[in-house]
Amino acid sequence: MQLTSCSGSNAEETTNAESAAAEKLVSIDTTKIPGGKYGAAVRYGRELMLHTAYYIGPEGINGHYTGNKMNCTNCHRDAGTRPYAFNLVRSFKDYPQYRAREGRILSLAERINNCVMRPNLGKPLPLDGKEMISIMAYLKFLSDSSNVAQVKKGIKNLEVELPDVAASSDRGEVLYAQNCERCHAKNGEGKMRFDNVTYEYPPVWGLLAYRPGSSMHRVVKLAQWLKGNMPYDKTEVGKPFLTDAQALDIAAYVNDDKKHKRPLPKTTKEVDYPNYDEKAIDYDKGPFKDPFTEQQHKYGPYKPIIDFWEGKGITPTI
């Protein structure tokens, strides 16, 4: 009886400790990057995340791989360490991973090149090149950090509650003017830094912004990111400024391809979501294996789409 009692107590303490760890925000101490050649690779990988355009942009000093002057940290804020901002601390552990968008298992290097080619409009980094190896070394350091538990708040983006009505590009246009225009400009072109190397505030549409097929081009996905991060000077970590509905409406406006131009894929052979029943609910290009239109997939209301797939025993991708 005594042994059972101790065992139960220890198990309860372990469960409580794990629960407490799960409630802590994800954090990384970059002062603990090691020395030596591995540490040098980690540091360069972090530099590439922060200053992508300077090193490998159209006028990069170490190669011309990205096709615009955006930086990885524009989306993966604080070089992938900021909570609720496409956090990257688990990416080295999470890959290889099945990706519905490609319909196959992707390696981490392939996923990195996805970002280089899609939002950054570039060409693939050589798999054995210094840049790819350094980015992967940096992601390994993030994954190995003693401050990163199995589950912590901030690794995933904040969720948004999906309303019973569609997101509105027209409402979003008003909200954009109120909250976003001062940095990203009226025409969405952003603000170039004084030295023309990169952006102080990146473009959110136009021919030098992320292209269709990028994660940010999905309304719900962008809304989740906006909720956790924008406006940058009014939002604290885990304390949004925008409401869920406002984030969805701004995302609808920013991603309204009828109002704004975006760069096109470089090849017509590219096929996203080859398995139609795996498409994210807010991916807006048919065909679909459900009765809903491209318009509804893009802007909602999303609940009927979710109900349809859950009724078939399938958990839809959000």
Side-chain angles (χ1 to χ4, degrees), residues 196-225:
N196 202 41
V197 171
T198 188
Y199 291 95
E200 185 176 353
Y201 304 107
V204 290
W205 67 77
L207 298 183
L208 294 176
Y210 58 85
R211 66 172 181 80
S214 302
S215 296
M216 284 288 207
H217 194 246
R218 290 168 42 197
V219 169
V220 176
K221 184 67 73 175
L222 175 56
Q224 292 171 340
W225 188 91

Side-chain angles (χ1 to χ4, degrees), residues 28-35 38-43 46 138 141:
I28 296 291
D29 185 356
T30 55
T31 65
K32 294 184 178 180
I33 295 176
Y38 171 67
V42 171
R43 287 183 176 84
R46 185 170 185 270
Y138 173 66
F141 164 76

Side-chain angles (χ1 to χ4, degrees), residues 65-235:
Y65 290 100
T66 61
N68 56 24
K69 293 186 177 182
M70 293 171 64
N71 301 310
C72 298
T73 199
N74 292 146
C75 298
H76 304 282
R77 294 187 68 192
D78 297 343
T81 66
R82 186 180 176 90
Y84 309 116
F86 290 140
N87 190 280
L88 295 174
V89 301
R90 283 200 52 83
S91 56
F92 195 87
K93 290 183 178 180
D94 288 344
Y95 282 85
Q97 180 186 111
Y98 179 78
R99 294 277 300 173
R101 187 173 67 183
E102 289 75 25
R104 62 184 180 86
I105 295 174
L106 261 62
S107 68
L108 179 57
E110 288 178 304
R111 185 69 184 95
I112 291 168
N113 272 333
N114 266 186
C115 282
V116 172
M117 293 185 289
R118 286 172 178 259
N120 284 308
L121 313 181
K123 60 183 181 181
L125 295 172
L127 299 182
D128 60 349
K130 178 181 179 181
E131 282 65 36
M132 177 62 79
I133 290 172
S134 295
I135 292 173
M136 293 185 70
Y138 173 66
L139 295 178
K140 183 179 188 301
F141 164 76
L142 297 187
S143 178
D144 288 346
S145 170
S146 60
N147 294 324
V148 179
Q150 182 73 12
V151 179
K152 279 194 176 181
K153 292 195 301 183
I155 291 178
K156 293 185 178 181
N157 289 352
L158 288 174
E159 295 183 0
V160 295
E161 184 176 348
L162 302 176
D164 294 324
V165 297
S168 168
S169 172
D170 291 340
R171 289 195 303 265
E173 186 170 3
V174 175
L175 289 164
Y176 179 90
Q178 294 170 345
N179 296 284
C180 318
E181 185 177 306
R182 63 192 171 93
C183 296
H184 298 285
K186 182 177 180 62
N187 295 320
E189 70 271 26
K191 180 181 178 181
M192 186 63 69
R193 208 169 69 183
F194 71 93
D195 56 8
N196 202 41
V197 171
T198 188
Y199 291 95
E200 185 176 353
Y201 304 107
V204 290
W205 67 77
L207 298 183
L208 294 176
Y210 58 85
R211 66 172 181 80
S214 302
S215 296
M216 284 288 207
H217 194 246
R218 290 168 42 197
V219 169
V220 176
K221 184 67 73 175
L222 175 56
Q224 292 171 340
W225 188 91
L226 290 172
K227 178 181 175 180
N229 294 279
M230 293 290 123
Y232 80 94
D233 56 351
K234 295 181 179 180
T235 299

